[in-house]
Amino acid sequence: MFAGLSSEALEAVVGAGSVRKLASGTRVFAQGDPGVSGHSLLEGRVKIVQARADGGQSVLRFIGPGEMYGTVAALMNQPFPADAIAVVDSVEIWWTLPTLRQLMRQHPDIGLRSTAAAGQRLLDLQGRIGELTGERVETRIARTLLRLMEKAGRRTSEGVEIDFPITRQDLAEMTGSTLHTVSRTLAGLDHRGVTGSTRRRIVVRDPRALAQLAEQGAD
């Protein structure tokens, strides 16, 4: 939202916000809470989780440094549509809704970029819905791992490690699958040398092979 602003404008944006530390496990806001604030992550990772009508939940995405979250709901005067939970010790900056609106009046580019960001997330969501309805489970899991690797990967001696704790249950909720299926699929990928996984850690050992799996179309 703030890309392209002058250094003076960025100083005003930062000065209008409040910085706070988030211990791992902290719920930044809860699904259904009034949308009264906008947030940007400075360090760490935040998980966006939505409760479903059937009593289950879906992991919608993971937020990384530099990304905004909660802002669209606030600007639309809507309740937050999901929980935001820190998955590692993190740092964020946040703004009250009146402050965000004042910043947009002072710097119209912020409003334009927020609209573009909301549109991109809608496109991403539409793409994920298409994956859930038309692709094999292994392909969905491979696509999800590839996105996480590209967004949050760090090179190690073993390969490219996803740099925050992620469980098999998280992957199941992101891919519309079951814990058993994800566990079985990861075990197969580990055996083939594509990945190396433990309970909360995943390393992509062969990114090219993972990309080939992710590119496989629907049955």
Side-chain angles (χ1 to χ4, degrees):
M1 285 176 63
F2 307 122
L5 294 181
S6 67
S7 57
E8 293 81 8
L10 286 173
E11 287 181 8
V13 168
V14 172
S18 299
V19 176
R20 64 179 176 183
K21 295 181 179 179
L22 305 169
S24 178
T26 298
R27 181 176 276 103
V28 183
F29 51 76
Q31 182 173 339
D33 284 351
V36 295
S37 54
H39 304 255
S40 182
L41 198 63
L42 302 179
E43 299 176 11
R45 296 284 168 184
V46 167
K47 179 168 63 174
I48 306 299
V49 185
Q50 187 175 65
R52 302 194 306 263
D54 63 4
Q57 64 180 25
S58 298
V59 176
L60 301 183
R61 64 183 182 277
F62 286 90
I63 301 296
E67 291 187 81
M68 301 287 294
Y69 57 106
T71 308
V72 173
L75 293 173
M76 294 179 65
N77 291 315
Q78 296 294 315
F80 290 121
D83 292 352
I85 303 169
V87 296
V88 296
D89 291 343
S90 304
V91 180
E92 73 157 6
I93 182 170
W94 66 281
W95 301 264
T96 64
L97 178 56
T99 298
L100 276 177
R101 287 178 169 162
Q102 180 61 29
L103 288 171
M104 288 181 174
R105 284 191 289 268
Q106 294 172 344
H107 309 285
D109 280 353
I110 296 176
L112 293 174
R113 291 185 181 277
S114 69
T115 301
Q120 184 59 54
R121 288 205 174 150
L122 178 60
L123 291 175
D124 291 344
L125 179 59
Q126 289 174 333
R128 285 185 59 187
I129 291 173
E131 291 174 10
L132 292 175
T133 58
E135 293 182 344
R136 296 184 301 117
V137 172
E138 184 182 61
T139 301
R140 299 202 303 263
I141 293 172
R143 281 183 184 271
T144 300
L145 289 176
L146 191 65
R147 281 194 291 260
L148 291 171
M149 182 194 76
E150 292 171 345
K151 179 178 179 179
R154 63 181 176 192
R155 294 202 171 274
T156 70
S157 59
E158 301 175 66
V160 183
E161 179 181 12
I162 296 171
D163 71 358
F164 60 91
I166 182 167
T167 67
R168 286 160 170 74
Q169 185 62 43
D170 289 333
L171 279 177
E173 292 168 5
M174 294 181 77
T175 58
S177 184
T178 65
L179 178 59
H180 173 75
T181 299
V182 167
S183 297
R184 184 186 62 203
T185 302
L186 279 180
L189 293 175
D190 290 350
H191 180 72
R192 289 150 58 186
V194 179
T195 59
S197 62
T198 59
R199 190 170 65 88
R200 295 174 62 85
R201 177 175 178 264
I202 297 176
V203 176
V204 178
R205 292 176 172 165
D206 190 340
R208 181 175 295 181
L210 184 67
Q212 289 174 344
L213 290 172
E215 291 168 2
Q216 293 177 2
D219 283 337

